[in-house]
Amino acid sequence: MTKVEFINHKDQPLYATIKDINNKDLATKRPEVFDNDYDGHSILSLADIIAMVFPNGDVTQKPMLYIRHTDMIKNQYRFGDIVELGDTYLDVQKGVYHEEEIAQAGTKISEYHEFEDGMYGFESKEPFSQLKFNEDYFTAKEGNVFSIKGEGWPKTIFEHQSMYNHVATIIRPATVSGVYEGKPIFGLGEHDRLFIPTEINGFDGITNNFGYVYMNMMGIREDGRREQALISLEFSGKIFAYYYIDGEEPILTDHVTMEAEWEHLPYVNDGTCVFKDAIFRFCGKEFHFEGKWGCKGFTPKPRVEKHGQSQIFGTWYEGKIPYRHRVYLTFGENMEAYDVKLKELGFDVK
């Protein structure tokens, strides 16, 4: 594996804070924390929930991936599914569960509003879907087949002008439990809220192609400590990395090295690549990712037409000595991951 160093050299420096979230941050689509000239008086434009869940809490089996991605300007879902990941790191997803009962792309949602129980969120009527949030937890319901509650972790990331240019983000990890097909599920998840400056007019204004490696790794250790490593490496120079474990102060940096060997996806012929294993290092820490399952787009049919995109999921640990988590989440996505670009960055490609 080859090692490549990523150092932030964009015009804006790393600017993020770690703190508790409160209902004031959730009550409006334009929270005070981002309603300033620096953040362009940003408005809530995307709201996402991801969760890696294990039926009956059995982490020895392949997890299911739940994802809900919402356009809050157009008031509709961009996509959302319960995904069966591929059997290997070079595979596309095997499909999605209950496609007809899960609201798909284009499904209209209500305006963002406060519910009677004091939570905030939105819902669709047909198919039924509902996402709700407060300062303690979030809930997600999909038809009559899937329902989860995410108990928020004590640290929430407020990132100003994140990897997407000029976008501010609130990233909130959680421990997830619920029901799927009447059976218990358990796992980890995250609720992300992306705020885009008013003048840009939503997600359509920031969708120019750009390359990045994104890796989110969460876990609960055998001793009960929760930990998360979140790494965003934009190829043009916007870098963000974060690590938190219970009992220690969070770490933030914009200087990361990544060690990996990339391979061509076998089902396309456009130079798109993915890595299996990788080691990320920053601030004296090292994080070992071990790839196991692939995906291509989180949609019922793999998005093979989405050139340069690859996704990878697996297990992970921090430090030099491997260990297992009681429960874990990994979410890796690469964009503009072409062999030519990767070689220019200094990676080996086979």
Side-chain angles (χ1 to χ4, degrees), residues 280-310:
F280 301 92
R281 296 181 177 91
F282 57 88
C283 297
K285 301 280 188 180
E286 66 179 47
F287 305 91
H288 295 254
F289 171 81
E290 300 170 319
K292 297 181 181 295
W293 312 290
C295 192
K296 195 77 165 74
F298 314 122
T299 45
K301 293 182 179 180
R303 294 192 66 193
V304 294
E305 78 283 358
K306 184 69 173 179
H307 305 299
Q309 178 199 68
S310 62

Side-chain angles (χ1 to χ4, degrees), residues 50-67:
I50 62 168
M52 186 170 273
V53 295
F54 299 83
N56 297 310
D58 185 356
V59 297
T60 67
Q61 302 300 311
K62 182 172 68 172
M64 299 187 302
L65 182 75
Y66 169 66
I67 185 164

Side-chain angles (χ1 to χ4, degrees), residues 25 36 40 58 62 85 90 97 145 307:
D25 302 313
N36 53 67
D58 185 356
K62 182 172 68 172
L85 300 172
L90 291 174
Y97 299 98
V145 297
H307 305 299

